Amino acid sequence: MSRPRPESLRFAYGTNGLTDLRLTDALALLADLGYDGVSLTLDHMHFDPLAPDLAARTRRVARDLERFGLGVAIETGARYVLDARRKHHPTLLDPDPDARGARIDLLLRAVRVAADLGAPAVHCFSGVLPSGESEETAWRRLADALGAVVVAAEAVGVALAIEPEPGHLLADLAGFHRLRTALGDPAALGLTLDIGHCQCLEPAPPVECVRAAAPWVRHVQIEDMRRGVHEHLPFGEGEIDFPPVLEALRATGYRGLVGVELPRHSHAGPELARGSLRFLQDAERAAIEGGVRC
């Protein structure tokens, strides 16, 4: 008797690649194209986490998501949401405790938004090692900063999914496991697995990264990329063989959103969203029909 096939993957598109659209228009577009969800970046363009009436605005977004039938994951990678002049600052590694506190507050707000929207995961990142700081100090600072966020996430049933980011302190899967161990392996701490980043710098190919990281993956970002070059590329412009990667996600039981991340392509967002979904659906179909094995 043959085993039943895993469920189809649920594809999403990141709002950081649709910054020229109003949020409602972006959600309508994704629903019309056939996406299952949206990766919602908290930023000043679509959904400002620092503006007044956060709860009321969250309720409006929840109604829109329900109306369009979209799932959601919360992303916190907006470049200038906290500091209008320094990209991705302040971080969880900032030597200034007040600056670190601003990032922690953003993540706590994101957790509340996620809980109110029914999002299973909140994405975050470590930040770059500050100049003059030792790695040991930075790792301790990261664990201390995330402790309260993990507790808050666990209290509302949301996973805090940290992303290994090229150039950051926590840059790879080994860094994730270092943090996980330092925090005592809390259930609420998970992983954002970026498939392109696996191609960029992990020692193993992306399909092996999916298999190895499967127990901790709570959110997935996907795009094409080349080895050693951290540049998010439309599908087909990089080096990744996607059918085995998608089959590995299916076979390992991942049930979250697989969110396309093309943050530098908003000028062509609607067309890229259309083409990206077609590419991913074709790649998943090829994996199924071709009998790709994990």
Side-chain angles (χ1 to χ4, degrees), residues 27-288:
L27 298 179
L29 169 72
L30 298 181
D32 288 345
L33 291 176
Y35 278 92
D36 300 291
V38 59
S39 299
L40 176 60
T41 296
L42 303 187
D43 58 24
H44 64 280
M45 292 163 285
H46 287 131
F47 190 85
D48 190 340
L50 306 181
D53 302 320
L54 179 61
R57 290 184 291 114
T58 302
R59 288 192 294 271
R60 287 196 292 272
V61 173
R63 289 194 292 269
D64 283 343
L65 291 169
E66 183 176 7
R67 175 160 60 100
F68 293 121
L70 295 171
V72 62
I74 300 300
E75 304 226 1
T76 62
R79 296 181 182 93
Y80 298 101
V81 69
L82 293 177
D83 187 324
R85 301 189 180 191
R86 294 189 303 161
K87 179 181 174 182
H88 293 318
H89 277 78
T91 75
L92 296 168
L93 308 178
D94 200 297
D96 181 352
D98 291 336
R100 290 199 304 277
R103 177 63 62 174
I104 293 168
D105 178 68
L106 175 65
L107 295 180
L108 291 172
R109 288 170 182 258
V111 166
R112 292 197 296 272
V113 169
D116 290 343
L117 294 181
V122 169
H123 150 277
C124 67
F125 54 85
S126 69
V128 175
L129 178 68
S131 177
E133 295 283 338
S134 72
E135 286 198 7
E136 288 299 324
T137 296
W139 279 109
R140 287 195 299 270
R141 192 173 286 157
L142 178 62
D144 290 344
L146 282 180
V149 185
V150 170
V151 170
E154 185 172 18
V156 295
V158 171
L160 184 68
I162 193 162
E163 177 187 9
E165 182 76 23
H168 284 209
L169 177 72
L170 198 160
D172 52 22
L173 293 177
F176 167 72
H177 289 302
R178 177 172 179 169
L179 175 67
R180 180 176 64 84
T181 301
L183 287 173
D185 198 17
L189 180 68
L191 175 70
T192 291
L193 186 68
D194 187 304
I195 302 302
H197 293 174
C198 295
Q199 176 69 20
C200 179
L201 55 68
E202 292 288 349
V207 66
E208 294 297 334
C209 292
V210 170
R211 295 170 183 153
W216 300 278
V217 175
R218 300 295 179 264
H219 181 47
V220 171
Q221 297 172 343
I222 194 165
E223 67 285 313
D224 217 339
M225 203 167 287
R226 300 187 183 99
R227 183 70 179 171
V229 182
H230 185 204
E231 181 182 3
H232 291 234
L233 299 172
F235 297 109
E237 295 186 13
E239 302 169 339
I240 299 175
D241 183 13
F242 283 97
V245 171
L246 299 182
E247 180 63 11
L249 286 169
R250 284 162 40 87
T252 54
Y254 177 69
R255 295 293 177 262
L257 294 174
V258 180
V260 178
E261 189 184 25
L262 294 172
R264 298 184 180 179
H265 294 77
S266 283
H267 61 284
E271 185 56 36
L272 275 173
R274 180 180 295 107
S276 295
L277 182 59
R278 187 182 307 121
F279 181 96
L280 290 170
Q281 289 173 334
D282 288 348
E284 185 178 28
R285 190 176 303 114
I288 296 170

